[in-house]
Amino acid sequence: MSDRFAARSQVAVVGYAHSPVRRHHDVPLGALALDTALAAIADAGLTKDDIDGFTTGSLLPTSGGHASVDGVSVVTANWLAEHLGVNPRFCAGFQGFGQIPGSVTMAVNALATGAADYVVLHRALHNPPRGRYHANPMTRAAGPMQWVAPQGYFGPLSMIALPYNEYLQRFSASRDAMAAVLVEARANGARIPWSYWHEKPITPQDYLDARVIAEPIGVLDCDIPVDGVAAFVLTRADRARDLPHKPVYVAGYAMGSPKRTRLPTHWPLDDIMEAGFEIRRRLEDATGVTVDVIDVPQLYDGFSPFVYFWLESLGLCPVGEAHRFVQEGIDAAAGGLPILSGGGALGNGRMHGVPQMLECYLQLSQRAGDRQLASATVGLACHSSPHFGGAVMYTAEPL
Amino acid sequence: MHKPVPVPDPTSEAYWAAAAEHRLALARCGHCGRLTHPPDVVCPHCLSTDPGFTFEPVDGRGTVRSWTVLRDSFLPGFAEDIPFVLVDVELDVQADLRLIGRLVDGPDTPLRLGDRVVTVFDARDDGPPVPAFSLDPTAEGAR
Ligand SMILES: [Zn+2]
């Protein structure tokens, strides 16, 4: 038993903004990020002169041969601060996957230590204008790629197909079971005005009819690449009480990491699950809250199998049972465990952990409108694979 | 469009030289004697920062831990090979030592977890042969 997280309930989310999510915006990503950050600051009842901290994880999550240009295809914390005309005391980016929990850890730590008083945390996602998102014209495989690309193993669809098939074979599950996850994500995304999939729910048959790319992964198992920006404002709990919206407190966080050297993008099922089990232990130790009391568990779903992996590794259902659990247990409108009530990435577009964090904020601050859940006291926002990402726990009241 | 051709470097030239002779050679740590693939800056088993890896031929037999059938490829050089199978194989030579390669038996091959495979080599026009796998015809219960 380790000590509780010293900054538990010391930091709160106090405002947000979200741009429309589109395949391609007709303004540069940087301009969209500036407008969204300013809207978030206003939503928090602040002005940009109050903001003295910035953080993000800016990585563009594509393996395609795209150049990365700050302000155009990515937006770093430094770029955002500079172009807002702010000279912040604290400005830092998270470098790994799990960009949302990673940048929340940086914001919380900076606020709790007094390195900043008001932090803007943003995430800007870009869909490159030409070519396929992950297609890569590589004809020479140097460095780490030499171990896999000559074999034809390349890119995130093969990466997720292997542990997903390992799951399906080990537990005698059918890929058809995942239709329930897609139907739920899209039903909730259809109710969100900024979602790419607004008013576009799907049926189980739509899922079953969709093209298969890397068996058992089909096109609808993947979130759709988009342009979109979200921004949040965080401050210390004592300052949060003076602001217009009900604060949502950060109870704690836990990150995961791979334990073994593997081939590039080789993610065996047991590596993923082992890290997920550890994230649960770390979260419970840090917060003193057990996962069974979480009533807004927003699981990451950038590829649909992550929903199974998070459900089982967090202990929200027994190992090997997620493919059955999702058939009856996750319909938020019918009182099921609302793991995708915010639509997730499958129901919003590739916003990379934003839908999970935002849904925790909206539900726990009672700002979810007609999607408001009857019970919203403890939220969990997961992002990425457990072994490269993490999770942040939020509460409606300080612990 | 060409398939990606491996570019050997000081950490890999012995691997590709062995492949050219249709032998699978993996990196063995000079300190703890264990195999690792791919070789890293340090030995992942004993954490030696001077692992002095030497590549030596290993038995290419192993067990299928997962697979995927590619019906689209994000590497244009593989477009003409669609559909093809990639297998995730745990080699017999050391627990949890896993390689990924093409299964040369074809996309309609029925597969199960635990199927036995052997290492084979996929000939290329413009580079060294690339390690791949084939179902082991000598395995018990082989189909
Ligand atoms: Zn060693």
Side-chain angles (χ1 to χ4, degrees):
Chain A
M1 185 70 211
S2 58
D3 289 335
R4 297 275 179 261
F5 181 42
R8 187 177 74 155
S9 302
Q10 299 300 301
V11 169
V13 184
V14 295
Y16 84 102
H18 202 306
S19 80
V21 176
R22 301 205 181 121
R23 286 290 269 169
H24 300 284
H25 271 277
D26 52 12
V27 297
L29 190 66
L32 198 64
L34 291 166
D35 289 343
T36 307
L38 287 167
I41 294 165
D43 182 64
L46 300 167
T47 70
K48 72 174 186 178
D49 296 333
D50 296 313
I51 305 300
D52 57 0
F54 290 84
T55 186
T56 191
S58 62
L59 183 71
L60 177 64
T62 160
S63 50
H66 312 292
S68 174
V69 181
D70 207 357
V72 178
S73 54
V74 298
V75 179
T76 63
N78 301 72
W79 191 98
L80 190 72
E82 180 188 338
H83 291 80
L84 278 174
V86 173
N87 179 10
R89 290 196 288 148
F90 173 80
C91 190
F94 178 78
Q95 66 173 357
F97 296 100
Q99 292 90 344
I100 293 294
S103 45
V104 170
T105 68
M106 299 177 79
V108 169
N109 295 358
L111 289 161
T113 55
D117 291 330
Y118 298 96
V119 171
V120 167
L121 182 162
H122 82 280
R123 182 72 175 116
L125 272 297
H126 181 52
N127 180 24
R130 275 179 296 280
R132 297 164 68 209
Y133 192 78
H134 290 303
N136 193 307
M138 181 196 309
T139 54
R140 288 160 46 85
M145 278 297 113
Q146 71 182 297
W147 305 112
V148 286
Q151 284 82 348
Y153 185 71
F154 176 82
L157 278 82
S158 304
M159 175 188 81
I160 194 67
L162 288 180
Y164 183 33
N165 196 33
E166 200 172 1
Y167 179 96
L168 294 181
Q169 300 297 328
R170 185 181 295 180
F171 301 118
S172 301
S174 161
R175 87 175 281 278
D176 296 358
M178 194 64 83
V181 170
L182 267 295
V183 168
E184 174 67 9
R186 292 286 294 271
N188 292 319
R191 301 173 68 189
I192 295 174
W194 53 82
S195 166
Y196 179 74
W197 299 117
H198 182 54
E199 297 181 339
K200 294 189 182 72
I202 61 168
T203 66
Q205 196 59 45
D206 293 334
Y207 175 77
L208 299 176
D209 291 344
R211 186 168 65 95
V212 173
I213 303 170
E215 286 182 24
I217 293 289
V219 65
L220 288 183
D221 292 302
C222 312
D223 54 359
I224 190 167
V226 294
D227 284 350
V229 180
F232 298 88
V233 179
L234 293 87
T235 189
R236 277 195 301 282
D238 54 345
R239 295 175 184 271
R241 286 190 268 278
D242 301 329
L243 298 175
H245 299 295
K246 181 177 161 19
V248 170
Y249 299 89
V250 179
Y253 51 74
M255 303 295 282
S257 54
K259 295 287 186 300
R260 295 173 193 83
T261 299
R262 296 289 187 194
L263 291 162
T265 66
H266 184 205
W267 291 11
L269 179 60
D270 291 328
D271 289 14
I272 296 171
M273 296 300 289
E274 186 183 352
F277 297 141
E278 182 161 65
I279 284 175
R280 177 189 174 173
R281 286 193 297 273
R282 288 174 171 176
L283 263 177
E284 293 187 336
D285 283 354
T287 62
V289 177
T290 53
V291 297
D292 56 295
V293 303
I294 297 170
D295 47 14
V296 190
Q298 298 295 295
L299 306 187
Y300 185 65
D301 63 337
F303 292 112
S304 64
F306 287 135
V307 173
Y308 290 179
F309 303 157
W310 280 107
L311 266 175
E312 296 183 6
S313 63
L314 290 171
L316 299 175
C317 78
V319 170
E321 290 292 323
H323 63 108
R324 280 188 273 270
F325 180 80
V326 299
Q327 303 311 312
E328 302 291 338
I330 62 166
D331 183 347
L337 193 66
I339 61 172
L340 288 163
S341 60
L346 295 170
N348 281 278
R350 185 167 299 159
M351 288 303 296
H352 228 230
V354 164
Q356 288 77 9
M357 178 178 179
L358 180 54
E359 180 68 355
C360 287
Y361 173 67
L362 293 175
Q363 292 291 347
L364 271 53
S365 63
Q366 298 289 316
R367 297 183 70 185
D370 63 358
R371 296 188 303 102
Q372 186 66 49
L373 298 167
S375 176
T377 59
V378 182
L380 188 70
C382 304
H383 186 196
S384 190
S385 171
H387 74 319
F388 281 96
V392 181
M393 187 184 287
Y394 297 92
T395 58
E397 300 299 332
L399 296 173
Chain B
M1 202 61 158
H2 292 285
K3 294 182 172 67
V5 175
V7 181
D9 58 42
T11 73
S12 68
E13 56 197 5
Y15 175 87
W16 291 113
E21 299 170 358
H22 287 212
R23 286 186 292 117
L24 181 66
L26 297 182
R28 191 178 290 284
C29 173
H31 285 256
C32 70
R34 278 178 281 186
L35 297 166
T36 184
H37 186 75
D40 202 347
V41 173
V42 302
C43 170
H45 304 293
C46 69
L47 305 181
S48 170
T49 55
D50 183 22
F53 288 122
T54 53
F55 282 79
E56 55 183 65
V58 299
D59 185 337
R61 284 179 292 187
T63 300
V64 172
R65 295 299 177 211
S66 190
W67 69 91
T68 176
V69 183
L70 275 292
R71 300 203 173 275
D72 197 344
S73 176
F74 294 90
L75 291 171
F78 283 90
E80 64 196 26
D81 298 272
I82 296 297
F84 65 92
V85 184
L86 289 166
V87 284
D88 174 353
V89 172
E90 180 172 3
L91 293 179
D92 293 351
V93 67
Q94 182 176 294
D96 203 30
L97 185 64
R98 281 162 80 152
L99 265 65
I100 296 169
R102 292 178 68 181
L103 187 79
V104 299
D105 308 67
D108 300 322
T109 309
L111 281 170
R112 291 175 306 203
L113 292 190
D115 276 346
R116 301 284 299 155
V117 291
V118 294
T119 301
V120 296
F121 288 84
D122 206 358
R124 298 290 164 85
D125 296 336
D126 47 5
V130 174
F133 295 98
S134 179
L135 287 174
D136 183 351
T138 69
E140 200 167 329
R143 285 159 287 162

